[in-house]
């Protein structure tokens, strides 16, 4: 995911495409347009992964064989792994 504030984050394609993975690209919240504070125009919602993968202000989704560039993806402190 790439965001309007230049943040980049990746999730495994197996998570993104899994029917039980529950990954969403949300454009509404409680039946209304996504508020700017919560990620308008689009927010990625990635249950089971570290919060930084729930990217706000998504403007591009990229399929790639490598991790996204950027400190929020490649920094050791953000290498959280989901259970299981």
């Amino acid at each position: 995911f790439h965001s309007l504030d230049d943040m980049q984050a990746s999730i495994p394609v197996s998570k993104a495409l899994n029917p039980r993975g529950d990954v969403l690209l949300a454009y509404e919240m409680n039946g209304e347009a996504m508020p700017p504070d919560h990620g308008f125009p689009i927010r990625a919602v990635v249950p089971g992964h570290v919060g930084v993968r729930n990217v706000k202000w998504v403007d591009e989704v990229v399929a790639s064989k490598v991790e996204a560039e950027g400190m929020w993806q490649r920094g050791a402190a953000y290498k959280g792994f989901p259970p299981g």
Side-chain angles (χ1 to χ4, degrees), residues 50 52-53 67-68 70-82:
V50 294
V52 74
R53 301 295 179 261
E67 277 187 323
M71 62 185 249
W72 301 111
Q73 179 68 37
R74 303 243 175 157
Y78 293 96
K79 294 291 182 189
F81 299 97

Side-chain angles (χ1 to χ4, degrees), residues 5-68:
D5 67 348
D6 293 324
M7 198 276 227
Q8 299 179 29
S10 300
I11 61 171
V13 69
S14 59
K15 173 70 174 177
L17 299 180
N18 186 328
R20 294 189 175 123
D22 296 329
V23 174
L24 301 173
L25 292 174
Y27 60 91
E28 289 184 340
M29 188 169 111
N30 300 323
E32 299 181 12
M34 182 70 63
D37 289 352
H38 292 280
F40 177 87
I42 302 288
R43 181 174 186 155
V45 180
V46 186
H49 282 254
V50 294
V52 74
R53 301 295 179 261
N54 296 282
V55 178
K56 295 180 178 181
W57 312 297
V58 173
D59 71 335
E60 187 175 18
V61 177
V62 177
S64 176
K65 292 182 180 185
V66 297
E67 277 187 323

